Amino acid sequence: MNMRRIVAVLAEEAEQQVRSRVWQLEPDDRALALETEAGLRDAVGPPNVQEALPQIKRLEHLRETLAVLAISLARTHGRLAWFLSGALNALEPVLRWRALQIDHGTSFGTVLPKPEDYTEAEDAVRQLQHALTQITAEPG
């Protein structure tokens, strides 16, 4: 699935742009990025907490992260929007996941993810949290 790899590339690009001052976050973008990081942190907790949850709850939490990212994306433009768009794109497979078995009929193209898929997506969200923290750090 490579969510972690995609997010790592996004994070590195964002951090590089901030370090080289190509991307200078305005106060409103900094506040939105911090708000987004907090929303992601609220949705997906530490590995030991997430892994103890039933898969249906893990999927709910991952869907919440997509909502956090989408709402933040709707509230900004420019580089922060591009970064958030890339994050949403990386986590896009979550949109096709389901946690319930199908009795009969079709499931609208959804799939049952493996436990390691949940872990990968949650790790990618934590990487996003870290990246948002890094890019919003005051330059020093």
Side-chain angles (χ1 to χ4, degrees):
M1 227 173 274
N2 297 317
M3 286 185 229
R4 284 184 283 230
R5 186 180 58 76
I6 294 167
V7 169
V9 169
L10 277 173
E12 177 55 36
E13 182 179 353
E15 291 169 22
Q16 177 58 39
Q17 287 186 19
V18 169
R19 272 193 309 273
S20 64
R21 300 201 187 277
V22 170
W23 182 9
Q24 296 182 30
L25 275 82
E26 298 296 325
D28 287 348
D29 277 349
R30 185 178 309 282
L32 181 59
L34 288 169
E35 183 181 321
T36 303
E37 187 278 330
L40 296 176
R41 190 173 1 96
D42 287 345
V44 171
N48 61 326
V49 172
Q50 289 302 122
E51 291 169 7
L53 296 173
Q55 288 186 350
I56 196 162
K57 283 295 187 190
R58 291 176 81 177
L59 182 54
E60 285 176 17
H61 290 193
L62 287 167
R63 288 177 178 162
E64 285 177 33
T65 66
L66 295 171
V68 167
L69 291 167
I71 290 168
S72 295
L73 174 61
R75 295 173 49 201
T76 191
H77 302 280
R79 293 185 192 276
L80 182 57
W82 305 336
F83 176 77
L84 295 173
S85 177
L88 276 163
N89 188 54
L91 293 169
E92 182 271 338
V94 172
L95 293 173
R96 293 187 309 276
W97 293 357
R98 70 177 195 279
L100 302 174
Q101 295 291 336
I102 183 170
D103 293 332
H104 53 81
T106 64
S107 63
F108 302 97
T110 60
V111 297
L112 287 169
K114 296 176 263 191
E116 56 267 23
D117 295 334
Y118 287 103
T119 300
E120 179 180 357
E122 291 160 350
D123 287 347
V125 170
R126 289 185 201 95
Q127 285 178 291
L128 286 170
Q129 292 170 13
H130 180 74
L132 288 164
T133 300
Q134 292 297 110
I135 66 173
T136 56
E138 294 294 330

